[in-house]
Amino acid sequence: MLIFLVGMPGVGKSYWMKKLSRQFGYEAVDMDRFIEQHTGKTIPELFAESEMTFRKAEQEALHLLTNRYAGLSCIISTGGGAPCHFDNMDWMLKHGAVIYLEGSAAFIQSRLAHSKVARPMFTNIAPDERLGFIETLVALRSPFYEKATYTVDALSATIAIFAGLFNSPHSN
């Protein structure tokens, strides 16, 4: 079974991908790392060319990974914008279960402030404007995220909550 983790940058998609893969014995794939290996360019380099260049690479990676891991137990951590472009969310829903890690703008801002990972989308946003930017982005992306098979509050997520999802009727 394929499980796709979606949500805003900073909600813990990569963290939960690693933790859940160990807990349940699934393969773990970080889609951004896959894109970097596949293209030979970093995410910031792809974004520097254009956001559309990155989004096309993201869609291609999603299709490649879905085909590569079809029929296997794999958790794929997607980029924050992946579900919001092309037919990506519908594609994920067609090929597996989608878990939306939901977080408030304040939670996301706090997590991003302490992140060691470069987030190209936030690079040129002044610190005093980040919360408003995140609120706007959450509002724009939420309609896509809310199509997910499941929603988990990122702030209160636990292994037990995910275990309930993995053992639900949708996970067969």
Side-chain angles (χ1 to χ4, degrees), residues 6-7 17 22 27-28 31 35 48 50 59 61 71-73 76 88 92 98 116 118 133 141 143 147 149 157 161 170:
V6 302
M17 172 201 65
R22 285 191 301 268
E27 292 287 327
M31 201 161 81
I35 290 168
S50 75
Q59 182 188 39
L72 302 175
S73 297
I76 299 172
N88 292 348
M92 288 185 275
V98 180
K116 296 174 185 155
F133 179 79
R141 291 181 174 182
K147 293 179 183 180
T149 315
I161 289 171
H170 284 97

Side-chain angles (χ1 to χ4, degrees), residues 11 27-28 51 76 107-108 112 146 150 158 168:
V11 294
E27 292 287 327
E51 184 177 354
I76 299 172
F107 171 75
I108 294 164
L112 291 175
E146 290 168 359
Y150 307 104
T158 64
S168 76

Side-chain angles (χ1 to χ4, degrees), residues 20-39:
L20 295 171
S21 72
R22 285 191 301 268
Q23 179 73 25
F24 298 106
Y26 280 48
E27 292 287 327
V29 178
D30 184 300
M31 201 161 81
D32 283 348
R33 299 301 72 79
F34 178 82
I35 290 168
E36 290 180 337
Q37 292 168 349
H38 183 70
T39 64

Side-chain angles (χ1 to χ4, degrees), residues 111-160:
R111 291 284 310 256
L112 291 175
H114 298 97
S115 178
K116 296 174 185 155
V117 178
R119 313 284 180 158
M121 186 162 267
F122 300 95
T123 305
N124 297 322
I125 307 298
D128 62 332
E129 296 176 5
R130 284 195 182 129
L131 183 59
F133 179 79
I134 293 167
E135 289 170 341
T136 299
L137 202 53
V138 167
L140 290 171
R141 291 181 174 182
S142 288
F144 295 95
Y145 295 153
E146 290 168 359
K147 293 179 183 180
T149 315
Y150 307 104
T151 298
V152 173
D153 179 0
L155 185 59
S156 61
T158 64
I159 285 290

Side-chain angles (χ1 to χ4, degrees), residues 87-107:
D87 66 344
N88 292 348
M89 183 54 118
D90 292 335
W91 177 269
M92 288 185 275
L93 288 165
K94 181 179 175 187
H95 292 90
V98 180
I99 300 174
Y100 168 30
L101 283 168
E102 182 178 37
S104 70
F107 171 75

Side-chain angles (χ1 to χ4, degrees), residues 38-93:
H38 183 70
T39 64
K41 297 178 181 179
T42 67
I43 301 303
E45 287 171 339
L46 290 166
F47 251 89
E49 289 180 32
S50 75
E51 184 177 354
M52 187 53 68
T53 297
F54 171 70
R55 296 300 175 196
K56 287 181 180 177
E58 192 174 52
Q59 182 188 39
E60 181 181 352
L62 179 62
H63 288 224
L64 288 170
L65 290 170
T66 302
N67 291 328
R68 179 179 291 176
Y69 291 99
L72 302 175
S73 297
C74 183
I75 299 172
I76 299 172
S77 172
T78 69
C84 311
H85 297 275
F86 307 111
D87 66 344
N88 292 348
M89 183 54 118
D90 292 335
W91 177 269
M92 288 185 275
L93 288 165

